[in-house]
Amino acid sequence: MEASKTIKVIIADDESIVRKGLRSTVPWDKYGMEVVADASNGRKAWEAYLEHQPQVVITDIVMPEMDGIELLRRVKETAPDTRIILLSCHRDFEYAQQGIKLGAAGYLLKTAFEDDELEGLLAKFQHELTRAASMAPSVIQAAVSEEEDERLGNLLYAWLNGHNDKLVDEMKKRTLEAWSFHGEAVYVYLIKTSGCEASWLELLKETTKEDRQLYEGAVIPYGNERCYLIVPESRLNAAESVLVEQKSENAKLQWAKRGPLTSTEERLEALLALHKAAELEKTYGVTAADWPEPIWKAVKLLHDHPAAEWSVSDVAGQVGLSRSHFSILFKKALGDSFVAFQYKRKLKLAYGLLKDTTLTMQDIAERTGLGDSKYFSKWFKRCTGITPSHYRAEQKDGHLRT
């Protein structure tokens, strides 16, 4: 098999001997495969997946930081056709069954499997993937384009969520090459299709060829209900016309834009700002139009700086209102006083950090603006009735049970 068609594989297992054994004893070349990365925990495996986009993942079920079931779920959500083999011990049998239901291609008992079991699965994958690669040229081109969009979307997701900075170099390259637009200033759009009958790219298929070309090569998908578009200034009116036309047929279509932008750094700042605003809307179930502008700015300020200790007077001054006017307007818009809202926001953030990260109590205390770990623990117990360590343990047990 040609190098360009080599099937990429990553291995995830917290036991070094297992990773080294699989790398060295399996005849990967025989199946046209190459192990492009291995990882000692689920989080590193997910980062490796985002970077390499392998067609095959071999993962242990029980690993630190992120288990194999969660890794499987994320990979399948991102690329449903990825072939995944689960490695498990006898005691993990129930979790292995869960993995099969989520789309794993098979599972092997680490303590008992024979080489021909693994190689049989690899031969099957090779046959399926080679057959898929023999499609008609036009279909291949479409698949390549879709794969590239997916890769770019994964880089964006990783960057926006703090996993890695690989998007930065990619954007620098594209600003100079594919997305240079002959040196024109650009606008970055965030298109939101939640509630619409189709994704933005699917909606565009119904428009004229000229309209479709408007975004050719300048789309960054972000999940199924959002995508980012980079539009040169000379096509700004055309972009707005297409959006308004589609809005007339899809009332729930929404968009926001930033610009004009000239540098890579400005484009990246626009992507981040649009993302933060969209997450804010998602968190509170509102848009900027639903609240008075000073209140929207205030909530955004709190959302963007979770560790900061803002007083009512501080925030009122930031948004240009008196303390009393701000307090009345804030309570009317959100239904909570500023202090009550701050406590609820910090508690929600603490829940997420305890559940989804392995940060220490001191780190979480600092990120929520609640001083040191001792005060944070007392505050959390006063709010919830249980200690933060108890809550974290409950979440882990619940995740394993599901």
Side-chain angles (χ1 to χ4, degrees), residues 46-62:
W46 175 238
E47 291 175 357
Y49 175 82
L50 292 175
E51 178 179 356
H52 296 286
Q53 296 292 293
Q55 295 97 324
V56 178
V57 176
I58 301 174
T59 178
D60 189 13
I61 291 180
V62 178

Side-chain angles (χ1 to χ4, degrees), residues 4 31 94 326:
S4 61
Y31 304 104
E94 290 183 8
F326 172 76

Side-chain angles (χ1 to χ4, degrees), residues 124-136:
K124 177 173 178 284
F125 298 163
Q126 182 188 31
H127 173 73
E128 293 170 347
L129 293 168
T130 302
R131 183 178 179 185
S134 64
M135 297 182 294

Side-chain angles (χ1 to χ4, degrees), residues 82-383:
T82 306
R83 274 65 173 177
I84 301 178
I85 298 174
L86 295 174
L87 303 177
S88 70
C89 298
H90 287 288
R91 66 178 181 276
D92 303 328
F93 183 70
E94 290 183 8
Y95 305 136
Q97 285 185 311
Q98 182 187 353
I100 297 298
K101 290 179 181 178
L102 289 172
Y107 73 91
L108 302 172
L109 296 176
K110 287 199 287 186
T111 55
F113 83 82
E114 300 291 337
D115 290 346
D116 58 359
E117 289 183 78
L118 173 58
E119 292 189 34
L121 286 170
L122 298 181
K124 177 173 178 284
F125 298 163
Q126 182 188 31
H127 173 73
E128 293 170 347
L129 293 168
T130 302
R131 183 178 179 185
S134 64
M135 297 182 294
S138 60
V139 178
I140 292 176
Q141 185 59 43
V144 169
S145 176
E146 186 175 324
E147 183 177 328
E148 177 61 17
D149 285 346
E150 185 176 287
R151 185 186 75 85
L152 194 57
N154 287 334
L155 290 179
L156 177 65
Y157 178 89
W159 179 70
L160 289 174
N161 292 279
H163 298 313
N164 64 56
D165 292 329
K166 291 182 171 57
L167 178 76
V168 176
D169 288 337
E170 183 74 20
M171 288 294 289
K172 287 179 180 177
K173 178 182 177 183
R174 288 179 182 246
T175 300
L176 294 172
E177 298 173 3
W179 295 349
S180 67
F181 303 111
H182 306 291
E184 279 189 64
V186 302
Y187 284 76
V188 175
Y189 281 82
L190 172 56
I191 311 296
K192 293 169 279 188
T193 56
S194 177
C196 298
E197 294 181 358
S199 69
W200 175 244
L201 293 180
E202 289 170 336
L203 292 176
L204 271 186
K205 290 177 183 177
E206 305 302 320
T207 63
T208 66
K209 183 179 179 181
E210 182 181 356
D211 288 337
R212 290 197 298 274
Q213 288 176 339
L214 179 63
Y215 308 121
E216 196 171 284
V219 179
I220 311 178
Y222 189 84
N224 294 324
E225 297 180 342
R226 294 187 205 172
C227 76
Y228 293 83
L229 311 174
I230 299 179
V231 179
E233 195 164 28
S234 61
R235 302 304 306 275
L236 189 60
N237 289 337
E240 291 287 337
S241 295
V242 173
L243 286 164
V244 171
E245 180 184 345
Q246 288 297 318
K247 176 88 172 166
S248 68
E249 299 177 12
N250 299 273
K252 293 189 177 181
L253 179 68
Q254 295 182 325
W255 64 89
K257 72 175 184 287
R258 294 292 176 102
L261 315 166
T262 56
S263 66
T264 300
E265 290 71 22
E266 288 179 340
R267 295 184 187 193
L268 288 167
E269 288 172 5
L271 289 171
L272 186 59
L274 289 167
H275 172 73
K276 284 185 175 181
E279 289 298 298
L280 190 61
E281 292 176 6
K282 183 178 178 181
T283 299
Y284 299 108
V286 297
T287 66
D290 296 320
W291 287 338
E293 185 177 357
I295 301 305
W296 179 261
K297 286 182 177 178
V299 175
K300 189 174 186 305
L301 191 68
L302 299 174
H303 187 79
D304 290 348
H305 304 280
E309 274 298 301
W310 300 99
S311 68
V312 180
S313 298
D314 290 337
V315 179
Q318 288 281 338
V319 300
L321 295 177
S322 68
R323 185 183 186 281
S324 59
H325 187 196
F326 172 76
S327 296
I328 293 169
L329 205 58
F330 192 94
K331 177 70 182 290
K332 184 177 180 181
L334 278 86
D336 280 320
S337 69
F338 178 81
V339 173
F341 176 81
Q342 277 277 65
Y343 269 79
K344 287 182 179 180
R345 183 182 63 84
K346 289 179 182 292
L347 185 59
K348 184 175 183 179
L349 179 59
Y351 277 139
L353 294 173
L354 289 167
K355 178 176 178 290
D356 299 326
T357 76
T358 56
L359 291 172
T360 65
M361 296 303 166
Q362 181 60 37
D363 287 336
I364 294 176
E366 292 174 1
R367 291 198 183 197
T368 52
L370 289 165
D372 59 25
S373 57
K374 185 177 292 186
Y375 177 77
F376 169 69
S377 294
K378 288 181 178 178
W379 175 85
F380 189 89
K381 186 173 182 180
R382 187 170 70 246
C383 293

